[in-house]
Amino acid sequence: MAYKKYIAELDELTASMERKPQTVGFVHRFFVPGWIGFIQECIIESKMSKAAKQPIHKGMNYYECGDKIVELTEKACEARKNSEGFQEKENDNMDNLSILNSSFRAIDVWANIYPEIAYWMNRQVNDNYVTCALGIVQENVKSSLSDIIELPAEKKNHKPNSSFMRDMKAMGGQIAAMFCNILVFAIIASLICAIFG
């Protein structure tokens, strides 16, 4: 059966990624809004991009491994649809479930290598849709799997009304951040005046 070679390749990729140790610690606990926060984000994104370019499996970097998971899942699902005995979407078919299992296991292992990159780094998909790298990989894999298996509908997250205290805490953080920005600006301005004055 042709789809089994894609599953085997996906399992090989997963086994290779499992040997890569998890790396965390890119993201700061506190971001200062304003230009200081922008500098913080630039530094973090630079570190994450550098880490994501490191080879993981057969010369492929982190994002290329995510693309490979999507590609192999799509090929396995297409081969499964064209195989003998495939009639319709079946959730209790062992062949369909093996593709599902290998795909989601690969995604879990991939996200575990650099969880902050998988969850935090945003990518623009089209004009209106921005998501994290993990979201892109998951949506593409689910799209392929939906050809051979009935996936449950996703629940829409409804945010409860925020409380007054949570709003006040957020406003307090913004005020503290503005104070930090003004303080840093004043220090820089005084240094410039001392040097050139």
Side-chain angles (χ1 to χ4, degrees):
M1 295 183 197
Y3 66 90
K4 287 190 176 180
K5 75 175 183 179
Y6 299 117
I7 293 175
E9 198 174 336
L10 192 57
D11 290 342
E12 179 191 346
L13 172 62
T14 303
S16 179
M17 290 189 299
E18 280 179 326
R19 290 190 289 274
K20 179 89 172 149
Q22 184 183 64
T23 304
V24 293
F26 296 108
V27 180
H28 297 297
R29 290 182 183 206
F30 178 72
F31 283 93
V32 179
W35 61 276
I36 295 173
F38 175 73
I39 293 170
Q40 285 178 309
E41 284 188 35
C42 288
I43 292 169
I44 288 169
E45 288 193 11
S46 174
K47 287 180 183 177
M48 286 184 175
S49 292
K50 186 176 178 182
K53 289 177 184 173
Q54 300 299 316
I56 294 175
H57 174 73
K58 294 184 178 179
M60 290 186 291
N61 67 33
Y62 188 66
Y63 292 123
E64 290 169 338
C65 285
D67 290 340
K68 192 68 172 175
I69 293 168
V70 171
E71 177 192 331
L72 291 171
T73 301
E74 182 181 356
K75 287 180 177 178
C77 291
E78 191 62 36
R80 175 67 185 123
K81 278 190 336 188
N82 297 327
S83 67
E84 291 179 28
F86 183 80
Q87 296 168 358
E88 59 184 33
K89 298 177 184 182
E90 296 177 283
N91 287 11
D92 57 352
N93 183 292
M94 290 306 294
D95 296 324
N96 295 350
L97 293 175
S98 66
I99 296 171
L100 175 87
N101 182 47
S102 290
S103 298
F104 281 114
R105 186 168 164 266
I107 291 171
D108 287 343
V109 171
W110 176 79
N112 187 57
I113 296 172
Y114 296 117
E116 292 168 325
I117 295 175
Y119 288 96
W120 194 76
M121 292 275 286
N122 288 325
R123 297 281 177 240
Q124 186 160 356
V125 179
N126 56 37
D127 292 337
N128 301 322
Y129 187 56
V130 176
T131 186
C132 63
L134 177 61
I136 294 170
V137 172
Q138 285 177 331
E139 285 306 310
N140 287 321
V141 165
K142 286 178 185 177
S143 175
S144 296
L145 289 170
S146 67
D147 291 341
I148 63 168
I149 202 164
E150 283 290 337
L151 296 172
E154 291 196 21
K155 295 178 182 176
K156 300 290 183 195
N157 288 339
H158 296 290
K159 286 189 174 180
N161 292 337
S162 59
S163 70
F164 176 74
M165 289 306 290
R166 196 174 323 139
D167 290 344
M168 293 307 293
K169 188 176 180 181
M171 189 188 319
Q174 288 177 339
I175 291 170
M178 284 190 286
F179 178 74
C180 288
N181 280 330
I182 292 169
L183 187 63
V184 169
F185 181 73
I187 290 170
I188 291 171
S190 65
L191 285 174
I192 290 172
C193 288
I195 292 171
F196 295 111

